[in-house]
Amino acid sequence: MTTRQESEGDGKVARSYSLASAPLRLLSHSFHSTANTHSPPPSGSTSTVSHSGCDPTPPRHHELATSVSSAFDLKTETTIATNNCDNTFHATTPTTLPQPLPQPQHHALQLDPRREARESKRQAQQLFDSDISSHEDISGRLSKAIKLETSPCSPEQETVESPDRTQSPTSSLQSAEAQRLERLLLPYDIRYSIFGQLSLQDIYNLQLSCKLLYWATSDQSIWKRIALQLIQGEFYFDIPRTLPANIPNWKYFCKRHSLRQQNWRLGQVQDVITLDDNYQKLTTLQIMAPFVLTGCDDGRVHLWNINTRTLLHCFQVKGEITWVEYLQEEQIVAGLGYDIEEMRSEIRLFSTETGEQIGLYEENFWDLAICAINDKYLVASDGEGRYTAWDWRSGAKISQFKVEDETSTTEALYLVQDTILELHYDGIIRLFSITGECFGRFTLDNILPNHQVSFCWLHNDLSIVVWESSNTMAHVRLPLLQSKDANGQPNTSLQRHITQEEWDAQGAEVYWRHQLTHTCNFAAMGGGRFQMLYVQIFENLMDQVPIRVHSLRPSRPISSLSTTSAASVGSANGRFTGDEMALLSVEEESYEWHHGEYVTAHSSNPELEKIIQGLRPSRIDCDPEYIVVGLVQGGVRLLQFAPVDDELLDKEGEI
Amino acid sequence: MPVTLTSLDDVKFTVDKDVAERSILIKNMIEDVGESDSPIPLPNVSSAVLKKVIEYCEHHRNDPVQVQDETDDPRKRSNDIEEWDMKFMAVDQEMLFEIILAANYLDIKPLLDVGCKTVANIIKGKTPEEIRKTFNIVNDFTPEEEAQIKKENEWAEDR
């Protein structure tokens, strides 16, 4: 049985599992844009990449960004330039929705109550008028702004919103009500308090009603709130604390995210990207954005950067790769190779910083079948109860033990800090410490009647998705493992004995169970919590293999964020406040699950479609952005579901 | 101890200190000025609006003061407007806006929240045309601009 390992983005949990499965991961970075780094070849949308051997290449998208942005005249929106917006980040968006000038008189009104109200308002108007005298007419500017895309905005702007008064020279003709509305929407706090509560649909309708409301609903903080609503359904819960580098503003983020979700639901592939063709048979494949890690039957381990489409590292292990793992924070790649001829296994560790090998581990038992690694330990097992554990930083062997009463092979192995969690083929879960002390042995009998667990994914909240041989997938929650400490924080240490009584009382429960309609022999999981996707393929060399995308959705819509609040003025610096973060911890019990129909990955672009139908996948993995496919004949392809950025750009910014 | 507030149009209102201090602005002014009998001028608030604001503050004088806490769980805050507040906010649009502006100026967060929520509820579920009718505003987009916005936002349409 071959194994493959997977690490959490935050390095806390590492686990291994059988080759066929892919764990759920907390992605540290799922919003990379790839379109910036390549220009599609004229013949079609497939992009090819040339890799520069083993040398890491710095991301090229910054260069591209600068050249593209200079092609647009950003000077039309001088206000933006004066507000320190970083325009070099992105290639895609020239300029702006109306981002108002920082307005001194706004503060004047607030801070000095002793002024005559009308007087201050008049003064404000004068100040503002003089501000704009050097710019174009406001309504003209607004018109132009509407034609152009949103610009990146600096955090400071969010607190210093000023009215883009749509009072053109014809303002005297505006109705009293309109003036009143405008006056109401002048202060940022009020705008945020009103519009921050509205759904995306309502904001959309507001934007269409008139220029004032278009402007008023363009605050970044409002769009950030909508982004939170969109993300709220995501399994990975990858909440960007600040805008990802290649995304200029929150509205763009929402758009891209929304379109991506839609594409997943429809199975519409936006682009097929070739990562590598220089492969013999791939034995392991995993994606953990922005990296792809592959292992080959000749012992090569490749680490790719998706954004730059370059090969970052090429490592060599002796034998056929049966497990690889990449720990981003610790900057190591670990690979397990099994040499069939010599009947020997070895584990090698490499540093991605230096590119050098930093460790070699061999064990007496010839079939090191399954491994796990985390920031402290490396654990290897033969799948039948023999374990060896090392402290990989020092290279010292920590323990070697045999766990008794093995009833079946270990399907999956996870390392949660100092505790080893095992899942067996017959549905037994065992927990023991790194030194072999057993904490508990439990069965999933009552919820997995078919017993024959083949695939397994461990999510970072310690729930697992298992696949039984009856073609049933079940998402199982293990509340005992998900205990909370005194502060209500999830307890990530499992170092305690769990009795059978405790287990019987609240050991495991099933979130959902789904009978797949087609048999398959490989699957991966990724996507979103409330839109969970998994992909299945049937490895058959002769036949066309459709890649199926299943979605899982709540049976009722996620309620909109319930808040009225202005506490998020603190979010002006671009970070989510505790207030906002609290909104995201959804009570799982409040959702019911049901499976949507599966869709088959396809494209409406005939050339892409041809390519997709011609794929012969042998390995597959996915994350919220891509399905990564390892081909039978060698080679890796990325199927992209996020909108291709140039297309996104075309839709906006046109006059 | 009573406090005197003077509105924009020079009307004086006398209220208890704890009622007046529902407004953080007034609270800070009182602290700065110290013990004094002189009325507090509120030149940004007309008497009609100030009367309403005082009515709100008097009704809510015993409410716990909301602490500006970053870790405050918004789920604990009730999403619904209580009945008295609903009746209180059943005023014409002009007064509603003035109340919100006054609450913002005077820094009375609960009143601001209720007012903004009322406006949000007015907006919810309305088409652009209905929004225009409600606020009596004109569609000042050119057809091209309108098409542009639709195109820009069409991804939001079916969510």
Side-chain angles (χ1 to χ4, degrees):
Chain A
M1 176 187 63
T2 49
T3 59
R4 179 157 65 100
Q5 196 180 46
E6 183 53 46
S7 69
E8 281 280 316
D10 64 1
K12 282 212 187 84
V13 178
R15 51 200 165 280
S16 73
Y17 47 90
S18 56
L19 181 61
S21 60
L24 302 165
R25 293 167 280 261
L26 186 66
L27 297 179
S28 55
H29 169 86
S30 69
F31 302 104
H32 49 270
S33 159
T34 56
N36 287 340
T37 62
H38 77 286
S39 39
S43 55
S45 317
T46 344
S47 5
T48 55
V49 66
S50 56
H51 63 84
S52 51
C54 301
D55 300 328
T57 308
R60 294 192 302 271
H61 59 268
H62 286 294
E63 299 167 329
L64 195 59
T66 327
S67 63
V68 171
S69 61
S70 63
F72 295 91
D73 184 12
L74 289 167
K75 293 203 169 54
T76 54
E77 291 298 328
T78 52
T79 56
I80 304 310
T82 60
N83 288 335
N84 301 318
C85 289
D86 185 356
N87 292 319
T88 61
F89 267 3
H90 57 103
T92 57
T93 60
T95 50
T96 114
L97 276 179
Q99 288 293 349
L101 295 162
Q103 185 171 355
Q105 70 274 25
H106 174 65
H107 290 300
L109 279 171
Q110 294 282 341
L111 298 173
D112 189 0
R114 289 177 208 278
R115 272 211 215 151
E116 228 280 339
R118 291 224 176 85
E119 160 86 79
S120 61
K121 187 171 176 198
R122 210 169 37 237
Q123 285 180 353
Q125 173 115 33
Q126 284 167 2
L127 262 173
F128 189 81
D129 288 341
S130 64
D131 268 338
I132 63 164
S133 60
S134 55
H135 301 284
E136 307 164 77
D137 162 58
I138 286 293
S139 62
R141 188 156 72 93
L142 191 48
S143 303
K144 187 181 283 196
I146 287 165
K147 291 168 187 159
L148 303 168
E149 242 206 63
T150 47
S151 78
C153 91
S154 71
E156 292 78 48
Q157 255 188 304
E158 293 188 47
T159 45
V160 193
E161 291 295 338
S162 64
D164 184 1
R165 307 270 283 268
T166 52
Q167 287 180 355
S168 58
T170 57
S171 66
S172 52
L173 300 178
Q174 256 187 332
S175 66
E177 288 97 330
Q179 288 188 6
R180 206 168 57 206
L181 183 64
E182 191 182 330
R183 194 168 150 250
L184 175 75
L185 297 177
L186 219 87
Y188 166 79
D189 286 348
I190 293 179
R191 281 205 303 282
Y192 186 82
S193 293
I194 297 175
F195 301 127
Q197 307 181 45
L198 296 174
S199 69
L200 182 56
Q201 197 56 42
D202 288 327
I203 300 288
Y204 174 62
N205 289 333
L206 281 167
Q207 294 218 319
L208 276 175
S209 43
C210 72
K211 288 183 183 174
L212 169 66
L213 289 173
Y214 180 85
W215 163 75
T217 49
S218 298
D219 288 328
Q220 285 300 297
S221 49
I222 290 169
W223 285 99
K224 192 164 82 160
R225 195 158 209 96
I226 292 177
L228 278 181
Q229 288 178 11
L230 291 177
I231 295 169
Q232 198 175 15
E234 295 290 306
F235 202 11
Y236 283 101
F237 247 59
D238 185 4
I239 304 150
R241 298 270 186 292
T242 54
L243 273 179
N246 58 312
I247 297 188
N249 58 66
W250 287 104
K251 186 174 183 185
Y252 182 85
F253 178 100
C254 291
K255 176 170 184 165
R256 185 177 185 277
H257 200 88
S258 181
L259 287 174
R260 189 184 77 185
Q261 284 183 331
Q262 196 180 311
N263 290 335
W264 271 112
R265 253 183 244 138
L266 300 171
Q268 278 194 336
V269 178
Q270 302 297 303
D271 198 5
V272 178
I273 298 151
T274 300
L275 211 50
D276 194 331
D277 259 329
N278 186 21
Y279 269 125
Q280 295 184 14
K281 185 161 180 269
L282 267 178
T283 50
T284 68
L285 175 65
Q286 26 177 311
I287 182 170
M288 54 247 148
F291 303 101
V292 167
L293 189 60
T294 65
C296 196
D297 66 352
D298 61 4
R300 280 180 297 154
V301 174
H302 285 188
L303 183 69
W304 291 86
N305 180 318
I306 297 174
N307 288 346
T308 59
R309 317 291 168 77
T310 52
L311 181 67
L312 294 177
H313 291 283
C314 177
F315 301 120
Q316 186 70 48
V317 178
K318 202 146 179 239
E320 175 186 309
I321 302 291
T322 54
W323 167 81
V324 278
E325 183 65 72
Y326 174 42
L327 296 182
Q328 287 193 37
E329 277 182 28
E330 290 74 24
Q331 292 181 293
I332 55 165
V333 166
L336 167 66
Y338 174 60
D339 189 330
I340 296 178
E341 280 156 32
E342 293 186 27
M343 301 224 306
R344 213 173 51 86
S345 296
E346 62 175 32
I347 303 170
R348 285 181 197 252
L349 260 61
F350 304 90
S351 159
T352 52
E353 237 182 326
T354 61
E356 301 297 315
Q357 180 178 312
I358 58 171
L360 170 63
Y361 301 89
E362 293 168 303
E363 260 306 290
N364 281 339
F365 44 88
W366 53 269
D367 190 0
L368 282 176
I370 194 165
C371 296
I373 190 169
N374 69 2
D375 55 343
K376 285 204 288 238
Y377 305 113
L378 168 66
V379 170
S381 165
D382 70 345
E384 288 170 356
R386 277 192 290 263
Y387 282 90
T388 309
W390 295 271
D391 172 345
W392 59 263
R393 288 185 202 270
S394 63
K397 187 183 288 196
I398 294 184
S399 62
Q400 188 167 9
F401 56 90
K402 176 145 186 13
V403 181
E404 299 305 325
D405 95 81
E406 283 283 329
T407 51
S408 68
T409 39
T410 310
E411 271 298 323
L413 191 68
Y414 302 96
L415 200 53
V416 182
Q417 291 197 354
D418 300 354
T419 307
I420 297 172
L421 179 107
E422 271 188 334
L423 177 65
H424 288 245
Y425 186 66
D426 59 1
I428 301 280
I429 289 182
R430 280 205 305 217
L431 291 159
F432 40 90
S433 77
I434 201 88
T435 49
E437 184 192 346
C438 185
F439 291 142
R441 180 182 183 281
F442 312 106
T443 175
L444 295 175
D445 245 7
N446 48 345
I447 54 175
L448 297 179
N450 298 300
H451 289 234
Q452 296 159 39
V453 172
S454 48
F455 305 149
C456 179
W457 297 265
L458 182 76
H459 185 51
N460 58 322
D461 68 354
L462 298 183
S463 63
I464 57 176
V465 178
V466 296
W467 188 330
E468 302 177 274
S469 66
S470 61
N471 227 23
T472 307
M473 291 192 77
H475 188 185
V476 175
R477 205 169 145 237
L478 305 168
L480 270 182
L481 305 183
Q482 297 167 272
S483 57
K484 302 229 191 293
D485 64 15
N487 295 329
Q489 299 301 312
N491 202 346
T492 50
S493 170
L494 301 180
Q495 287 255 13
R496 62 189 189 93
H497 286 271
I498 300 173
T499 64
Q500 191 62 49
E501 288 75 36
E502 280 180 273
W503 184 267
D504 291 340
Q506 46 157 324
E509 58 186 29
V510 176
Y511 276 147
W512 51 260
R513 194 196 301 274
H514 176 59
Q515 178 81 39
L516 297 170
T517 49
H518 299 262
T519 55
C520 83
N521 72 341
F522 205 89
M525 193 152 203
R529 172 191 286 185
F530 301 119
Q531 184 185 304
M532 205 179 286
L533 307 159
Y534 46 93
V535 180
Q536 56 173 141
I537 54 169
F538 193 79
E539 181 181 353
N540 181 323
L541 292 173
M542 307 309 286
D543 296 339
Q544 179 189 341
V545 180
I547 298 169
R548 295 201 176 89
V549 179
H550 293 257
S551 65
L552 173 71
R553 261 165 294 172
S555 58
R556 59 180 174 81
I558 299 163
S559 58
S560 55
L561 299 177
S562 65
T563 175
T564 53
S565 221
S568 38
V569 172
S571 66
N573 62 356
R575 303 186 170 271
F576 290 129
T577 59
D579 164 34
E580 288 164 329
M581 297 299 293
L583 292 170
L584 295 167
S585 46
V586 179
E587 297 295 342
E588 284 144 9
E589 292 81 36
S590 60
Y591 293 90
E592 289 146 33
W593 303 81
H594 73 90
H595 273 266
E597 287 297 310
Y598 72 83
V599 289
T600 303
H602 66 280
S603 170
S604 46
N605 175 330
E607 284 189 41
L608 271 188
E609 175 66 5
K610 208 162 124 202
I611 292 167
I612 293 169
Q613 297 311 322
L615 293 177
R616 297 283 176 271
S618 68
R619 291 287 178 267
I620 204 164
D621 196 6
C622 68
D623 78 353
E625 292 273 320
Y626 301 100
I627 293 177
V628 59
V629 181
L631 305 179
V632 162
Q633 71 269 26
V636 178
R637 302 284 181 274
L638 292 172
L639 305 183
Q640 178 175 321
F641 285 83
V644 175
D645 289 342
D646 342 333
E647 285 172 10
L648 213 56
L649 178 60
D650 286 346
K651 280 191 177 159
E652 304 180 31
E654 272 177 13
I655 311 290
Chain B
M1 151 136 184
V3 164
T4 310
L5 309 171
T6 311
S7 72
L8 164 73
D9 38 353
D10 268 334
V11 177
K12 289 187 171 26
F13 295 85
T14 305
V15 295
D16 287 338
K17 188 161 172 238
D18 63 326
V19 170
E21 285 188 342
R22 303 300 297 184
S23 154
I24 307 296
L25 179 80
I26 294 176
K27 183 165 186 262
N28 291 342
M29 283 167 74
I30 292 174
E31 276 174 22
D32 290 342
V33 165
E35 292 299 314
S36 163
D37 279 333
S38 54
I40 295 173
L42 300 173
N44 283 8
V45 188
S46 72
S47 56
V49 179
L50 188 53
K51 186 164 173 221
K52 280 291 269 184
V53 170
I54 288 170
E55 185 189 336
Y56 180 88
C57 294
E58 275 175 347
H59 184 263
H60 288 273
R61 66 195 297 168
N62 293 323
D63 286 0
V65 174
Q66 284 192 357
V67 178
Q68 280 285 358
D69 190 359
E70 287 268 309
T71 59
D72 188 14
D73 187 348
R75 287 176 298 169
K76 291 187 197 139
R77 286 191 227 128
S78 169
N79 208 18
D80 302 320
I81 305 179
E82 41 171 278
E83 210 184 312
W84 187 92
D85 287 349
M86 248 198 299
K87 290 202 187 112
F88 175 81
M89 285 292 171
V91 292
D92 63 46
Q93 222 178 72
E94 184 173 1
M95 176 55 81
L96 175 60
F97 289 4
E98 292 296 331
I99 291 174
I100 294 172
L101 284 164
N104 188 46
Y105 167 64
L106 294 168
D107 198 353
I108 308 171
K109 193 165 165 319
L111 180 56
L112 178 67
D113 286 350
V114 168
C116 290
K117 185 140 189 57
T118 308
V119 174
N121 286 341
I122 292 173
I123 295 171
K124 272 184 191 155
K126 288 196 161 73
T127 65
E129 188 50 46
E130 288 165 351
I131 292 171
R132 288 181 208 125
K133 276 215 187 74
T134 305
F135 296 113
N136 197 12
I137 44 183
V138 169
N139 180 2
D140 49 357
F141 290 125
T142 65
E144 293 81 31
E145 286 168 344
E146 197 165 338
Q148 178 62 34
I149 295 178
K150 277 207 175 120
K151 204 167 155 206
E152 186 184 299
N153 289 346
E154 68 185 342
W155 58 275
E157 248 181 297
D158 294 325
R159 278 208 62 86

